[in-house]
Amino acid sequence: MPKQKLSPLPAAAFQIMMSLADQDLHGYEIMRRVEEQTDGRTRLGPGTLYSSIQTLLEAGFIAEVSNDNASDERRRYYRLTASGRKASREEAERLAGVVRLARSKKLLKGEYV
Amino acid sequence: MFERLLAFLFCLYPLEFRRAYGREAWQLIQDRLRVERSVPMRVRLLLDLVRDLLAMSVRGWHPNPALITAGDVRDGTPRFQMIEVQPRRPEWYVAGMLSSVLMFASFTLLFQPENFPNAPAQLGEGDGSGRDSDAPFDPNSPQQQPVIVDPAAERRKIIEEVAANLRDRYVDRAIGQQLSNALLAQEKNRDFESVHTGPELAERLTNRIHEMSRALGVPAGAYVADVLYSEMILPEGPPPAMTLTPEAREQARIAAQRQNCYFQTIEMLPNDIGYLKLIGFPNFDACEDMTRKAMQTVNNASALIIDLRGNRGGYGETALQIAGYLFDRPTFLWDPRPHTIVPAETASPVASNKLADKPVYVLTSSTTGSAAEYFVYNLKMLKRATIVGERTAGNQHSGAFRRITDHIGMGIQEESPAANPFPIKGWETIGVEPDVNVSRDEALETAKKLAASRAR
């Protein structure tokens, strides 16, 4: 089995980028936001979370931003970059295409994507 | 005990991972510990950590799978790999639960917590020498293993120091004396005996100070003191000045200009609603012109939405500058800091400004803090804006800072702030309550509807 199959990174990375779409967040906030946006199905552990963050940083999809909160200086905040936003949009559109196809094949009900 | 078990599990993560993200990852676990207090939640936390640890042991730290592959590039646009999301099956829970119980029992029997003094943030950490202050967090590193002589004595010493600061430095000496006496009595009663880590002690002391000061008649929202834990070794010497050094201001100026002075969005929405999203209040010297241009862009709006969700603060002068556009005469804004450099009144009226009589909606979240709360608090007290969203963070940041140990310090209100004419005497710990209480995700749509209905 290829190593890529073992990795949850693509899903985790996409969820992290979705969580950063409208706000800069630190690690714990990202974890909570991902949990909320997946209706509790996905809780990122520290290893998965920061592995994904590291990869996204290296890909230039997110960036670390300065933390102006003096009382909170232990934390690092992350922001979605322009290329990250573009990649997220493309991925969302691709997934929407998959859902449209599923509807056309009568695998899903409902009119809209 | 539970925290020590988590600390031990944390030590099993790969060294490279802990070097790169140890501080943050441990902070994440601490955050979950603080919020998830019930037994089921604690079990869930333990399972999550075990599962994550197992996943990392299979995958290794930072496997760096390419997010983009040649086959995924379409029209020059990067795409993700196919996402595989499988529903969790009941047998996975059973397997996870059994393995966790086995691990928990094994750890309890085989390892006593006393054998792991290198768990992060233990009391007694550091000897005051300031060494290794820049080294990455690494609980396994011999150089960073804390020197625990007597954790109970260390805890007692911190509590006594906090009590002494309250007694000698808090602006109201009578209340400071009572707070000091109460803390010492609680220490004597062994109320803090279950506390084993620096962050836990700081949080417990802060909560006690807040509870007791309210009981002693300090108004809600007024800042008294709080105890802080820092992963980094705190600097020695006198407390830092309330204002930034010229070098720090210059760095902040450059940082702000690189990020469009923190104006993430400046636009006109349908129904002539002006919309400003500010993710921080930037350096005033660097961003005065940019702020003026932003306000001019929305000058013809029939209503204004100022989005401060996630805005953790910054420079009060910029908050005051924006507030200046919302009034037609000089208006007092209360600043809790005794030696603030922010003027007490807005520079209203602003020439050619048309916003002074327009409805204003300010969006907030639980992470809206510090200078952003200064802005929100004053507009709410003056009834100049409708606050839409969540209760703000409650970080007044108005005290002087006192170092206690290498990692523990405290903020304390040593001098009286300016007289506060408003009925609520600040926002420390209580935050600013919104007028329209909705989640951060609903705040913008709610404000748009309110603004549109008022325009009609």
Side-chain angles (χ1 to χ4, degrees):
Chain A
M1 182 180 286
K3 192 172 183 181
Q4 179 66 38
K5 285 282 185 188
L6 293 173
S7 169
L9 181 63
F14 183 50
Q15 290 293 348
I16 289 169
M17 292 171 73
M18 295 272 278
S19 75
L20 293 170
D22 54 2
Q23 199 173 9
D24 299 342
L25 300 172
H26 60 67
Y28 177 64
E29 289 173 339
I30 292 172
M31 190 215 84
R32 292 296 303 273
R33 187 61 71 88
V34 168
E35 188 178 1
E36 284 170 19
Q37 67 199 19
T38 58
D39 295 325
R41 288 195 305 274
T42 303
R43 267 190 320 281
L44 300 175
T48 308
L49 175 67
Y50 288 107
S51 293
S52 305
I53 283 176
Q54 179 68 22
T55 305
L56 289 170
L57 284 169
E58 289 175 9
F61 287 173
I62 65 172
E64 194 176 323
V65 293
S66 64
N67 174 11
D68 294 329
N69 188 342
S71 71
D72 208 13
E73 62 186 12
R74 278 176 286 170
R75 303 181 194 276
R76 292 187 227 175
Y77 286 81
Y78 302 95
R79 175 177 301 165
L80 195 60
T81 62
S83 63
R85 192 170 292 276
K86 188 176 180 185
S88 300
R89 189 167 52 243
E90 285 296 313
E91 175 64 6
E93 286 170 358
R94 191 187 63 75
L95 290 172
V98 172
V99 176
R100 272 194 294 272
L101 178 63
R103 290 204 199 290
S104 71
K105 302 285 186 185
K106 312 290 185 198
L107 294 172
L108 283 175
K109 292 180 179 177
E111 296 177 4
Y112 302 104
V113 171
Chain B
M1 174 64 194
F2 183 71
E3 189 172 347
R4 287 181 179 226
L5 173 64
L6 296 187
F8 173 73
L9 283 177
F10 188 69
C11 289
L12 299 179
Y13 276 86
L15 188 61
E16 290 303 317
F17 166 71
R18 282 180 285 128
R19 281 200 172 130
Y21 287 101
R23 289 173 195 277
E24 285 182 283
W26 180 248
Q27 180 65 45
L28 184 146
I29 294 168
Q30 290 276 313
D31 286 336
R32 288 193 64 180
L33 267 174
R34 190 161 44 249
V35 174
E36 300 172 15
R37 292 179 177 278
S38 65
V39 173
M41 299 286 267
R42 289 278 165 107
V43 170
R44 192 182 73 164
L45 171 57
L46 182 67
L47 287 174
D48 283 350
L49 207 57
V50 169
R51 189 179 55 189
D52 189 56
L53 188 57
L54 290 173
M56 184 166 264
S57 67
V58 171
R59 197 173 60 229
W61 155 239
H62 185 36
N64 197 20
L67 287 175
I68 311 165
T69 64
D72 279 338
V73 177
R74 183 181 56 196
D75 301 329
T77 304
R79 289 195 299 132
F80 283 90
Q81 304 273 358
M82 171 65 79
I83 291 177
E84 293 178 303
V85 179
Q86 298 178 36
R88 283 174 288 178
R89 290 152 55 183
E91 55 265 36
W92 295 1
Y93 286 101
V94 175
M97 187 76 80
L98 284 174
S99 59
S100 296
V101 169
L102 283 172
M103 285 182 72
F104 192 93
S106 305
F107 294 151
T108 308
L109 292 172
L110 295 174
F111 306 106
Q112 292 303 310
E114 289 73 18
N115 296 333
F116 299 95
N118 54 341
Q122 294 297 312
L123 287 176
E125 187 176 356
D127 59 0
S129 65
R131 65 177 180 269
D132 285 339
S133 59
D134 294 322
F137 169 71
D138 176 11
N140 278 347
S141 165
Q143 289 79 20
Q144 293 187 24
Q145 286 190 4
V147 180
I148 294 187
V149 179
D150 182 349
E154 178 76 8
R155 184 175 57 226
R156 188 164 55 249
K157 185 180 154 202
I158 291 167
I159 294 168
E160 286 172 354
E161 191 75 22
V162 169
N165 273 320
L166 287 167
R167 184 191 64 224
D168 298 336
R169 299 186 189 282
Y170 179 56
V171 61
D172 185 324
R173 290 286 190 271
I175 287 180
Q177 180 73 60
Q178 291 181 72
L179 289 172
S180 174
N181 292 344
L183 272 189
L184 292 174
Q186 289 173 5
E187 198 282 325
K188 202 171 178 181
N189 284 340
R190 300 181 172 182
D191 286 3
F192 297 96
E193 203 162 56
S194 62
V195 177
H196 297 292
T197 66
E200 202 180 356
L201 180 60
E203 186 181 2
R204 182 82 66 90
L205 283 168
T206 299
N207 290 339
R208 291 292 169 87
I209 291 168
H210 290 161
E211 289 163 10
M212 291 186 297
S213 54
R214 295 294 96 83
L216 290 169
V218 176
Y223 180 69
V224 176
D226 48 13
V227 181
L228 308 164
Y229 177 83
S230 166
E231 291 280 359
M232 303 292 288
I233 291 183
L234 295 167
E236 303 223 36
M242 294 293 287
T243 54
L244 294 177
T245 62
E247 293 78 17
R249 288 188 84 86
E250 178 61 13
Q251 285 175 0
R253 186 185 69 78
I254 293 168
Q257 286 189 330
R258 275 187 192 147
Q259 298 184 60
N260 201 36
C261 288
Y262 301 152
F263 281 94
Q264 197 172 64
T265 310
I266 306 167
E267 64 180 352
M268 291 298 295
L269 302 173
N271 299 314
D272 286 333
I273 299 169
Y275 176 67
L276 300 175
K277 179 165 177 59
L278 258 168
I279 58 172
F281 283 102
N283 178 287
F284 178 74
D285 299 335
C287 295
E288 183 184 3
D289 285 347
M290 176 71 203
T291 305
R292 187 171 61 248
K293 285 173 188 166
M295 298 309 290
Q296 284 170 351
T297 303
V298 295
N299 194 32
N300 290 317
S302 60
L304 181 62
I305 297 175
I306 301 175
D307 190 346
L308 301 183
R309 290 174 295 172
N311 183 320
R312 296 169 192 280
Y315 290 76
E317 299 105 301
T318 303
L320 186 77
Q321 184 191 358
I322 294 172
Y325 288 83
L326 309 180
F327 297 95
D328 59 6
R329 68 195 69 177
T331 303
F332 173 81
L333 300 192
W334 183 74
D335 189 325
R337 296 171 298 174
H339 298 294
T340 179
I341 59 169
V342 180
E345 291 188 337
T346 62
S348 315
V350 179
S352 308
N353 172 48
K354 300 177 186 173
L355 296 168
D357 60 348
K358 300 295 191 306
V360 177
Y361 301 87
V362 180
L363 312 187
T364 57
S365 68
S366 60
T367 48
T368 303
S370 197
E373 288 181 292
Y374 156 77
F375 185 83
V376 176
Y377 168 83
N378 279 288
L379 292 190
K380 181 178 168 80
M381 291 297 109
L382 292 162
K383 298 184 168 49
R384 178 60 189 94
T386 303
I387 315 301
V388 182
E390 299 169 348
R391 182 188 287 272
T392 61
N395 298 326
Q396 195 157 293
H397 294 153
S398 60
F401 186 77
R402 296 281 165 185
R403 182 185 194 279
I404 292 174
T405 68
D406 280 353
H407 296 279
I408 300 268
M410 70 183 295
I412 185 164
Q413 189 80 45
E414 296 186 359
E415 297 176 62
S416 296
N420 186 334
F422 302 128
I424 299 174
K425 300 301 179 188
W427 59 87
E428 178 65 22
T429 72
I430 61 172
V432 181
E433 179 73 23
D435 299 305
V436 181
N437 200 334
V438 294
S439 75
R440 70 184 74 185
D441 295 331
E442 298 168 306
L444 178 56
E445 285 308 313
T446 304
K448 281 183 192 172
K449 286 176 189 165
L450 289 170
S453 65
R454 189 155 171 182
R456 281 197 293 272

